[in-house]
Amino acid sequence: MSTAPLTLYTHPMSRGRVARWMLEETGLPYQAVILDYGSTMKTPDYLAINPMGKVPALRHGDTVVTENAAICLYLADLVPEKRLAPPPGSAERGPYYRWMFFLAGPLEAMLTAKASGTLAPASSAGYGREQDTLDTLEAALQGRAHLAGEHFSAVDLYAAACLGFYMRIGQLPARPAFKAFAERHMGRPAALRAAEIDNALLPRQ
């Protein structure tokens, strides 16, 4: 594994909370740089890292990774001994990729479109019909502790984080399978540790 330093660019009220949780699962040392919306996220220095001017972004030496799903996959491969990703070529690797990109693609796109009142026709949208998207995810989670094999992996982290967030803000129905899966994994020590760090950074009222 490369010994290059890891830097997380984030904000405590952002999707960067997911990336921090993943970093805490790896046990790797990292530095967090806290950026602010509309100001430090839009500086030339940060735009050189992520031209979108959004967080999170991860820098590992000369490598920059953006998008939470990509960050989770990248970090999992840095610590194979932690078993946060199924081994390449294993039967579990397919479901690992499948559900990670289902969550980051169809599910999040559908929820964002619905929240803005602009659901696209099922024939042209990657997420198809809302009911199909939700039912497909529910079937994948029903009665299961893990989405890829029998061991906790980055896709379980990403799923639990997405489910927990969208249920909390009321954009995702709290189906029993969704609640059980999110609660099972959001109680992990690394998840609680990451939440404590970010909560301590929240602006005081």
Side-chain angles (χ1 to χ4, degrees):
M1 186 199 76
S2 170
T3 58
L6 284 162
T7 303
L8 173 67
Y9 299 88
T10 187
H11 185 281
M13 295 179 66
S14 76
R15 296 167 187 258
R17 294 176 77 100
V18 180
R20 188 189 290 277
W21 176 8
M22 187 65 197
L23 278 161
E24 291 293 326
E25 290 283 356
T26 69
L28 295 170
Y30 68 94
Q31 173 192 9
V33 176
I34 309 302
L35 302 175
D36 290 321
Y37 293 103
S39 59
T40 49
M41 284 188 205
K42 306 301 182 184
T43 62
D45 285 349
Y46 185 62
L47 292 175
I49 294 168
N50 184 0
M52 293 287 287
K54 293 178 174 290
V55 293
L58 180 76
R59 187 169 63 188
H60 184 210
D62 294 330
T63 300
V64 171
V65 186
T66 64
E67 316 316 315
N68 257 331
I71 290 171
C72 288
L73 295 176
Y74 182 84
L75 288 171
D77 285 343
L78 292 183
V79 286
E81 71 280 5
K82 297 279 187 176
R83 299 174 64 194
L84 293 169
S90 67
E92 293 80 18
R93 196 76 172 192
Y96 175 71
Y97 287 134
R98 175 188 180 184
W99 295 115
M100 180 67 82
F101 291 104
F102 179 89
L103 292 157
L107 180 70
E108 291 210 64
M110 184 274 289
L111 292 172
T112 301
K114 183 180 178 183
S116 64
T118 56
L119 277 172
S123 59
S124 61
Y127 46 78
R129 297 191 312 129
E130 175 186 359
Q131 191 70 27
D132 291 342
T133 303
L134 297 179
D135 289 350
T136 297
L137 180 58
E138 182 179 38
L141 299 174
Q142 191 73 51
R144 300 190 62 184
H146 307 291
L147 279 165
E150 302 303 321
H151 191 272
F152 177 81
S153 71
V155 70
D156 298 321
L157 183 156
Y158 194 83
C162 285
L163 291 166
F165 173 73
Y166 285 113
M167 285 190 293
R168 186 170 66 253
I169 65 174
Q171 288 188 16
L172 189 67
R175 296 185 180 185
F178 297 168
K179 289 180 63 178
F181 196 90
E183 290 170 359
R184 176 181 292 116
H185 298 302
M186 292 183 76
R188 290 176 61 84
L192 298 176
R193 194 163 58 245
E196 182 178 8
I197 294 169
D198 275 321
N199 289 343
L201 294 168
L202 292 171
R204 299 192 178 274
Q205 309 223 336

